[in-house]
Amino acid sequence: MNDQPLREPTLLILTAIADAPRHGYAIAREVEQISEGRTKMRTGTLYGALERLLEQQLISVHEEEVVDGRRRRSYALAPRGREVLAAEAARLAHTAQEANRRLGLGGLGRAVTA
């Protein structure tokens, strides 16, 4: 397994399908929602990332069908993807906890107000 942090688009895509398989358009909507609108994935970028994640065995094709003459796939988190996402979530939680500690904020639930 790679010890490098996940790039944000990869993290968001894996998170988007962690609870249920989704097709490309649904993944793009989930990514936008999870990122609170900060990340909007263009079609070419999304499908390029999905192909890369398939090659890395982080995701799998859950279902494939033809709709109006076009192939439509839904994607699911593969076992390796679940492990990678869980490790990244733990790494991020640890970093956030340490940042809060150093800021004197205590618990993770408190937010910094400007």
Side-chain angles (χ1 to χ4, degrees):
M1 205 172 306
N2 191 352
D3 289 338
Q4 294 294 324
L6 294 177
R7 295 182 316 182
E8 187 172 27
T10 300
L11 172 64
L12 292 169
I13 291 169
L14 295 180
T15 301
I17 62 174
D19 60 342
R22 290 186 169 79
H23 57 81
Y25 179 72
I27 293 170
R29 284 194 331 230
E30 287 291 313
V31 164
E32 189 171 347
Q33 180 183 14
I34 293 164
S35 69
E36 298 178 325
R38 290 184 320 273
T39 302
K40 295 178 180 163
M41 299 203 75
R42 293 190 169 134
T43 303
T45 303
L46 174 62
Y47 285 100
L50 290 171
E51 286 303 315
R52 180 178 49 80
L53 295 172
L54 281 167
E55 289 172 10
Q56 295 172 342
Q57 299 179 338
L58 297 177
I59 66 172
S60 61
V61 174
H62 174 72
E63 193 173 74
E64 192 168 8
E65 61 184 337
V66 176
V67 178
D68 296 328
R70 298 180 66 191
R71 183 176 67 181
R72 180 175 169 169
R73 287 178 166 179
S74 62
Y75 300 89
L77 200 58
R80 183 169 182 269
R82 185 166 296 283
E83 291 173 11
V84 168
L85 182 58
E88 184 69 1
R91 185 191 70 77
L92 291 169
H94 174 76
T95 301
Q97 183 178 16
E98 184 61 17
N100 281 326
R101 184 187 71 75
R102 291 177 183 224
L103 288 167
L105 299 177
L108 287 173
R110 297 186 189 157
V112 176
T113 56

